[in-house]
Amino acid sequence: MAAAKRVLITGASGLLGRALCKEFGKNVMWETCGLSFSRSGDGLTQIDIRDKDALTQVIKDFKPSVIIHSAAERKPDVVEKQPETTYKLNVEATSNLCDIAGSVGAWVLYISTDYVFDGKNPPYKETAQPNPLNKYGQSKLDGEIATLEASQDNGVLRVPILYGEVENLSESAVTVLFDKVKDTTQHCIMSDYERRYPTYCGDIAFVIKQLAEKRIKGEKIGGIYHWSGNENMTKYDMAVAMAKAFGLPIEHIVADKSPSGGASRPYDAHLDCGRIESLGIVKRTAFNELIKDILQPHY
Ligand SMILES: NC(=O)c1ccc[n+]([C@@H]2O[C@H](COP(=O)([O-])OP(=O)(O)OC[C@H]3O[C@@H](n4cnc5c(N)ncnc54)[C@H](OP(=O)(O)O)[C@@H]3O)[C@@H](O)[C@H]2O)c1
């Protein structure tokens, strides 16, 4: 039966990928193979997933029944400047991965983003029409299309802004705010415009493992899913919550009520998570419950 529970995780050295390895690692029935690119690490296999031959070799050797495809370029401002490089990773590698997965009978769950929506008409059901505002959102939407074109049985999971146990604060668009929050000698300007739903990576990893377990047991799990925390916060709200968690003053944190600069971002792309909730899967950690523990090593 062990062969039926092999999970291959791309982007395993990343923020979500590490949480996925931890979650699947809790259950000895899952044999995990984690792929990384530039980072080496315990048990990780370093490959460039844009190299189709190398990817084919890894997948054919490991013979996964489930592939969680988390690797991507996820920074909108980087993607805006490097659209071709991004396309190779976020779209072409996804398409190749799904073709190879199909040849070994593996089910693919592709991790996508709320940035596929324009943020003008929330909440967004899984069936809502995407309309990405920036090249990152477009590349992830193209990755979704490639995943589902390869097989309608494959899955897509859209998630919003993530936070979790970081190696350094800049690793997450949430934790990076703390760099400025903890320096109470300087004014820091925080966006108080776009509405966000910060979501703990551990919760997403839990949800993903539940989906994979159901799939392995023969339930029909496929198509588009959403998972999100349900606390509506701006970056200013998150910064204030961080300051309060550490008993720091908040007077140096200045709310900016205008749209953020750089690549266009959706105003409020709140994801309706009805499809996953209807499967009886729910896990939402409150922002204030863990944020201090997560930031403490970087204080
Ligand atoms: N972070 C967010 O707020 C957020 C929000 C919505 C959706 N998402 C989506 O969630 C997924 C995970 O995001 P994340 O925050 O965990 O990303 P991340 O921390 O930036 O990690 C990216 C991962 O991709 C790997 N990677 C990069 N280039 C590669 C290549 N050429 N070949 C193989 N692997 C490569 C990296 O490996 P190395 O580090 O070893 O180089 C790393 O493991 C992504 O698909 C992203 O689009 C993220």
Side-chain angles (χ1 to χ4, degrees):
M1 276 307 284
K5 288 212 172 205
R6 284 202 188 111
V7 59
L8 184 122
I9 298 167
T10 72
S13 51
L15 183 63
L16 178 60
R18 294 196 303 274
L20 284 164
C21 291
K22 192 171 164 195
E23 182 64 33
F24 279 95
K26 285 178 187 168
N27 184 338
V28 289
M29 290 301 286
W30 282 103
E31 193 185 333
T32 304
C33 172
L35 305 187
S36 66
F37 177 47
S38 61
R39 284 180 268 189
S40 58
D42 209 14
L44 293 179
T45 302
Q46 269 182 286
I47 74 155
D48 183 346
I49 62 164
R50 293 168 298 184
D51 178 342
K52 190 175 181 183
D53 292 341
L55 189 60
T56 304
Q57 193 65 50
V58 167
I59 293 176
K60 294 218 158 156
D61 286 351
F62 185 62
K63 300 183 188 62
S65 38
V66 170
I67 299 178
I68 312 296
H69 181 29
S70 185
E73 176 49 70
R74 60 131 192 113
K75 296 192 185 85
D77 295 329
V78 172
V79 177
E80 219 60 31
K81 288 187 197 114
Q82 300 172 2
E84 288 85 15
T85 318
T86 300
Y87 189 84
K88 286 192 169 61
L89 178 60
N90 289 8
V91 188
E92 276 179 19
T94 299
S95 176
N96 290 338
L97 180 139
C98 291
D99 286 347
I100 306 160
S103 74
V104 299
W107 177 69
V108 177
L109 182 69
Y110 170 78
I111 308 301
S112 191
T113 170
D114 58 347
Y115 274 34
V116 298
F117 294 118
D118 59 20
K120 292 176 185 160
N121 196 20
Y124 290 93
K125 288 191 184 296
E126 296 84 351
T127 49
Q129 183 62 38
N131 181 32
L133 296 180
N134 59 38
K135 293 190 171 100
Y136 166 66
Q138 185 64 55
S139 76
K140 294 298 290 185
L141 178 59
D142 291 345
E144 290 186 3
I145 292 166
T147 301
L148 296 175
E149 266 178 10
S151 169
Q152 287 297 320
D153 251 16
N154 284 338
V156 165
L157 178 67
R158 297 179 181 139
V159 297
I161 188 170
L162 305 182
Y163 70 98
E165 289 76 9
V166 286
E167 292 177 346
N168 54 69
L169 290 175
S170 64
E171 219 189 348
S172 145
V174 174
T175 55
V176 72
L177 306 176
F178 192 56
D179 256 337
K180 291 182 174 167
V181 169
K182 68 183 176 181
D183 181 2
T184 57
T185 64
Q186 311 265 348
H187 276 118
C188 68
I189 298 169
M190 290 288 169
S191 166
D192 198 23
Y193 180 74
E194 289 95 356
R195 315 302 311 183
R196 298 284 174 251
Y197 299 83
T199 301
Y200 177 53
C201 282
D203 293 348
I204 296 173
F206 173 87
V207 165
I208 288 173
K209 194 170 87 173
Q210 298 298 307
L211 289 175
E213 302 262 1
K214 284 183 183 292
R215 168 79 199 187
I216 289 292
K217 285 179 189 145
E219 282 187 46
K220 190 167 163 31
I221 302 291
I224 295 171
Y225 295 92
H226 291 169
W227 192 253
S228 170
N230 56 10
E231 293 168 276
N232 177 329
M233 302 172 95
T234 62
K235 288 190 173 174
Y236 171 79
D237 296 329
M238 295 179 220
V240 168
M242 289 174 192
K244 288 186 174 167
F246 283 86
L248 295 169
I250 58 167
E251 289 70 27
H252 66 299
I253 308 172
V254 181
D256 180 355
K257 298 278 182 194
S258 52
S260 298
S264 300
R265 284 154 162 85
Y267 171 68
D268 182 347
H270 189 202
L271 298 171
D272 179 311
C273 304
R275 264 196 96 197
I276 286 184
E277 286 165 349
S278 73
L279 295 169
I281 305 172
V282 177
K283 191 153 183 353
R284 290 189 175 96
T285 301
F287 190 75
N288 282 333
E289 196 178 318
L290 269 187
I291 197 66
K292 188 174 181 191
D293 290 348
I294 285 168
L295 297 173
Q296 189 72 58
H298 310 276
Y299 184 40

